[in-house]
Amino acid sequence: MPGYLPRIADGDVESALRRRGAVLIEGVRGCGKTWTARRFARSEARLDDEGTLLLAASDPAAVLRGPAPRLLDEWQNAPPLWNRVRRECDDRPGRGHFILTGSATPRDDITRHTGTGRISRVLLRTMSLWETGHSSGTVSIRRLFDGETASCLPDETRGLREIAALICTGGWPQNLGQDEHEVLRSLGDYVNEVIRLDVPAANGVRFNPGAVQRLMLSIAHSISTEAKMAKLASDMSTDTMPSRNTVAAYLEALRRIFVVEDQPAWSVNLNSRATLRKEAKRHFVDPSLAAAMLRVTPDRLLSNHTVFGRLFESLTVRDLRIYSGADHGSVYHYRDNTGLESDAIIERTDGTWIAVEVKLNSGAASVDRAARSLLRLRNKVAPQRRDDLAALLIVTATGPAYCRPDGIQVAPITTLAP
């Protein structure tokens, strides 16, 4: 497809079409689901078109007719199509009949069980730095799991100003190559649409736009931290404090439209009396949404290293999720009651894992502190989990990629790849 930048998730879509009658590509609005689906589809019906929606209501079979794979774009606008697709997958021979895309989970959750064995899901996030061409890809997460070491000279063309710009502009396909100032304005428009339109549509009930805005702003202020519901409620309050159920409902709406993606705590056996903390870390699907809510520009980030550091950690978590997802890995975080933390834990389904510390500053003192924390974590886990440890990694904003004498890998984010 002319102009299409390959996505890491392309392989998942291709595999799903070989294994199942249909594949559902879901993710936040604007992440490129339609573009990705069109790479594989031979025909399409767009359910964000009024005429197609009317046809879907009166003659749904007509919407499904066309060369396979047939794309049903924004299918959640016509939820009854899910069961029609399921039945077609049962009745038609072979695999790969339909591709569905959606930027919201239906309110009645009709997809929970009925697609089992017929419809495979692929989550598409915004684009990683490797996908947008802002990472050299020299340091592969897959190869780190295989025992290879990081090694490359620093890229002198990529400094902190560019990292700040990548955070603020995000991995949105339609914004690539656009003027930075215009991208920042369009992201402001985007979060306003999320607040006014997307969140109410996700749950089908009236939401207070001001409360949604205050919640999103609270998440932005709490990015990469374990902000509890009580803090979010406090930040949302005006005259009265919202209930826990109210905050949970608003968060659920943001999850349904894939805007919020928390980072769960890692479950691990410890070789100590420390107690694990179970709170998830707060993240948007892309750090640019936090930057837009906070109204920060790249230059303002450079003058506030606390906010810069938290947003850089969120950028790193976004990319690690995308890279590790290629091998069915998941990204967690670790913290215990002694204050020991790890910014990210990448764990595969076979139990192997990599512990990651994220440091905006690539100087020796900062890297040494991160290394000491990683070594403490390694020594704290139970022996059987220590045997599953593939690597200890420090991700920096700039500098070279190298392996320290203690075996800890150091790599700037602009060298990472799947």
Side-chain angles (χ1 to χ4, degrees):
M1 204 164 80
Y4 180 77
L5 291 177
R7 308 292 294 271
I8 294 168
D10 288 347
D12 293 330
V13 175
E14 191 172 20
S15 173
L17 287 170
R18 290 195 302 265
R19 293 182 286 109
R20 293 286 186 263
V23 56
L24 168 61
I25 306 174
E26 51 189 358
V28 67
R29 178 166 57 87
C31 70
K33 298 180 298 299
T34 302
W35 292 2
T36 294
R38 283 176 174 166
R39 187 181 183 197
F40 300 94
R42 295 180 57 216
S43 64
E44 69 177 62
R46 299 197 59 165
L47 277 305
D48 57 358
D49 173 75
E50 185 177 355
T52 308
L53 270 178
L54 291 172
L55 181 61
S58 62
D59 187 7
V63 176
L64 302 187
R65 284 196 291 269
R70 182 159 176 79
L71 167 60
L72 304 176
D73 194 34
E74 297 296 348
W75 76 272
Q76 78 279 353
N77 293 330
L81 284 180
W82 180 269
N83 280 334
R84 299 289 303 216
V85 168
R86 178 179 60 85
R87 287 196 294 270
E88 288 289 331
C89 291
D90 287 339
D91 295 341
R92 296 185 186 186
R95 301 286 185 271
H97 304 300
F98 299 102
I99 303 173
L100 294 79
T101 68
S103 53
T105 304
R107 291 186 297 274
D108 56 2
D109 222 6
I110 62 171
T111 69
R112 180 170 293 171
H113 302 295
T114 56
T116 302
R118 306 168 183 91
I119 304 175
S120 184
R121 294 172 183 261
V122 173
L123 176 62
L124 190 68
R125 298 181 174 92
T126 55
M127 299 180 79
S128 65
L129 298 188
W130 185 73
E131 290 168 306
T132 61
H134 294 99
S135 170
S136 66
T138 308
V139 180
S140 161
I141 298 299
R142 180 180 295 129
R143 293 200 298 269
L144 289 179
F145 269 102
D146 291 339
E148 292 192 19
T149 58
S151 178
C152 70
L153 292 171
D155 184 349
E156 302 294 347
T157 66
R158 300 192 191 278
L160 285 179
R161 175 57 173 76
E162 182 173 4
I163 298 299
L166 292 171
I167 288 171
C168 292
T169 55
W172 307 92
Q174 68 270 28
N175 291 338
L176 295 180
Q178 301 300 309
D179 176 77
E180 181 181 291
H181 178 68
E182 293 302 318
V183 171
L184 297 182
R185 290 189 63 183
S186 72
L187 284 167
D189 295 338
Y190 184 98
V191 295
N192 286 334
E193 290 179 9
V194 167
I195 291 165
R196 292 188 306 103
L197 303 174
D198 295 353
V199 170
N203 272 25
V205 298
R206 290 188 61 126
F207 275 54
N208 181 335
V212 176
Q213 183 178 30
R214 289 191 294 275
L215 174 59
M216 291 182 65
L217 185 58
S218 177
I219 294 170
H221 280 297
S222 305
I223 204 78
S224 302
T225 71
E226 301 158 75
K228 296 184 179 181
M229 295 281 279
K231 182 188 184 305
L232 300 180
S234 176
D235 290 346
M236 288 175 65
S237 65
T238 51
D239 296 332
T240 59
M241 178 86 72
S243 69
R244 182 184 179 89
N245 288 342
T246 298
V247 179
Y250 278 61
L251 279 173
E252 179 59 22
L254 290 170
R255 292 190 186 102
R256 281 182 180 275
I257 58 175
F258 304 99
V259 165
V260 164
E261 187 176 7
D262 289 341
Q263 182 185 0
W266 190 44
S267 296
V268 61
N269 296 325
L270 296 179
N271 189 27
S272 74
R273 294 182 180 180
T275 303
L276 293 174
R277 303 289 188 175
K278 296 295 186 181
E279 289 288 337
K281 280 190 175 184
R282 304 293 178 184
H283 291 279
F284 289 107
V285 69
D286 193 282
S288 62
L289 297 180
M293 291 303 304
L294 296 171
R295 298 178 179 269
V296 295
T297 63
D299 293 322
R300 287 185 65 193
L301 274 187
L302 289 172
S303 64
N304 189 331
H305 273 228
T306 299
V307 176
F308 195 175
R310 288 181 179 176
L311 289 175
F312 177 64
E313 181 179 332
S314 194
L315 175 73
T316 303
V317 169
R318 182 201 70 182
D319 280 10
L320 291 179
R321 280 171 165 158
I322 296 169
Y323 300 151
S324 61
D327 294 309
H328 310 290
S330 298
V331 177
Y332 305 91
H333 79 94
Y334 174 92
R335 189 164 76 91
D336 63 33
N337 65 335
T338 70
L340 179 60
E341 301 180 64
S342 182
D343 295 323
I345 302 289
I346 310 170
E347 185 175 49
R348 287 178 166 181
T349 52
D350 63 2
T352 55
W353 56 286
I354 293 175
V356 182
E357 276 289 285
V358 180
K359 291 297 178 185
L360 186 63
N361 185 343
S362 60
S366 178
V367 169
D368 284 344
R369 284 194 300 272
R372 287 194 294 271
S373 180
L374 288 172
L375 292 172
R376 284 178 59 205
L377 172 61
R378 184 192 65 184
N379 295 334
K380 210 169 214 183
V381 300
Q384 64 270 25
R385 292 317 312 268
R386 205 175 305 154
D387 292 341
D388 294 330
L389 176 62
L392 300 173
L393 173 65
I394 301 170
V395 177
T396 60
T398 58
Y402 59 97
C403 183
R404 289 165 47 100
D406 55 15
I408 295 175
Q409 313 282 342
V410 181
I413 193 171
T414 53
T415 63
L416 299 181

